[in-house]
Amino acid sequence: MDNKKKNIHPTNRPMDHQQIKPYKKDSDYSYTLGAFPTYELIMARPNIVRKVLVHSAYTDIDKIKELCKEKYIPIENNDKIITKISDKENCYVAGVFDKFDCELSYDKPHIVLVNPSNMGNLGTILRSAVGFGIKDIAIILPGADVFNPKTVRSSMGALFRLNHHRYTSFEEYRQQFDQHEIFTFMLNGEHTLTLQDCPKPKLFSLVFGNEATGLDDSYLGVGTSIVIPQSPDVDSLNLTIAVGIGAYVFTNLK
């Protein structure tokens, strides 16, 4: 098989203008809105890209044209469609991609998000996770839509560089990954997280609750409950900050 044929993906099919509509959760495709996440999409998962749209005001057109040519991805100048699908006035590049399924790794650490509700926060968490080298994310439903363009944009394309999987319950996740040591992050956790005293498991799952409610007390009996030390002047840390701290400490163990 020659290189040209090998790089063409069967779902890389043309889309007419009538098909391209503002995002809906039940659709089988989504968008990257902005140049950087679109480049990340193309570099990380070129096989799921249906089309790249470019606005006439975009100044680095030659670079993205060359990349799309290299990856055998259709590219189109279309100001009208970009304006139609984007709620940002300064969006000059958009990628149309197929939604994709992933399986989590059995031999890698995980971050588990229980009912995350904010799409912007979810995207930021994905970006932080990749930054700290944790590339397997479990989402316990109900939860924010990982493919919503707001999530994709907040992740700055990190979505395309990790594995994510959605579970109907924490029990379903736990049954599949019973070799991972569980650490639940809670305001009333029994163990204080410090760099000096952090556990050093070979496999671990860091579990975080909803932005508003956190994890309920039933999670105190699941694995090891952890509290991040903080000033008494605030009620709790923002979820994205808590995940960042947890991921940093557990991935920087000596």
Side-chain angles (χ1 to χ4, degrees):
M1 180 179 291
D2 62 44
N3 289 333
K4 183 175 181 179
K5 291 181 179 178
K6 186 168 61 176
N7 279 284
I8 297 177
H9 188 265
T11 63
N12 226 341
R13 52 190 179 276
M15 299 179 69
D16 61 39
H17 297 169
Q18 286 70 38
Q19 287 179 296
I20 301 178
K21 301 177 180 179
Y23 177 77
K24 291 186 177 180
K25 189 173 183 178
D26 59 356
S27 63
D28 62 355
Y29 62 91
S30 185
Y31 308 108
T32 53
L33 301 178
F36 188 86
T38 302
Y39 274 105
E40 287 294 289
L41 164 65
I42 296 170
M43 296 302 296
R45 294 182 182 267
N47 59 311
I48 67 170
V49 187
R50 295 189 182 187
K51 176 185 287 190
V52 170
L53 302 167
V54 181
H55 194 280
S56 59
Y58 188 57
T59 58
D60 205 7
I61 184 68
D62 291 338
K63 180 179 178 181
I64 197 164
K65 276 187 174 180
E66 183 64 27
L67 182 59
C68 287
K69 180 180 179 181
E70 176 186 330
K71 302 294 183 180
Y72 304 97
I73 295 170
I75 185 169
E76 176 184 323
N77 288 91
N78 199 313
D79 296 10
K80 183 177 179 180
I81 296 299
I82 290 181
T83 301
K84 180 180 177 181
I85 64 176
S86 173
D87 58 359
K88 302 288 186 182
E89 293 183 0
N90 61 342
C91 180
Y92 300 133
V93 179
V96 186
F97 68 91
D98 289 315
K99 293 181 178 180
F100 55 97
D101 294 321
C102 303
E103 294 297 330
L104 304 189
S105 304
Y106 282 89
D107 60 347
K108 302 292 184 182
H110 299 167
I111 288 175
V112 182
L113 304 174
V114 180
N115 312 138
S117 61
N118 183 282
M119 290 177 290
N121 284 349
L122 177 56
T124 301
I125 289 169
L126 300 182
R127 186 181 183 188
S128 298
V130 171
F132 291 118
I134 300 180
K135 297 185 177 182
D136 290 86
I137 311 295
I139 299 173
I140 310 301
L141 299 175
D145 180 10
V146 72
F147 289 116
N148 188 289
K150 292 181 180 179
T151 306
V152 179
R153 190 180 182 101
S154 296
S155 82
M156 292 301 286
L159 170 66
F160 308 115
R161 297 190 178 275
L162 52 74
N163 300 318
H164 71 274
H165 195 81
R166 289 162 285 183
Y167 296 87
T168 57
S169 67
F170 179 75
E171 289 70 26
E172 180 190 2
Y173 166 80
R174 190 71 186 104
Q175 288 174 4
Q176 184 175 350
F177 297 100
D178 57 1
Q179 298 302 308
H180 280 63
E181 191 169 343
I182 300 293
F183 296 90
T184 57
F185 284 71
M186 309 178 67
L187 289 177
N188 55 345
E190 296 180 355
H191 302 272
T192 301
L193 181 66
T194 66
L195 286 170
Q196 294 75 25
D197 300 327
C198 182
K200 301 178 182 179
K202 293 182 179 179
L203 279 178
F204 58 84
S205 299
L206 308 182
V207 185
F208 300 86
N210 176 275
E211 290 92 338
T213 61
L215 297 173
D216 63 51
D217 286 350
S218 67
Y219 283 87
L220 288 169
V222 180
T224 302
S225 61
I226 285 180
V227 60
I228 298 174
Q230 63 184 56
S231 164
D233 296 329
V234 294
D235 292 333
S236 62
L237 296 175
N238 176 277
L239 175 61
T240 59
I241 299 298
V243 174
I245 292 172
Y248 171 78
V249 173
F250 272 81
T251 57
N252 282 274
L253 304 177
K254 301 298 184 180

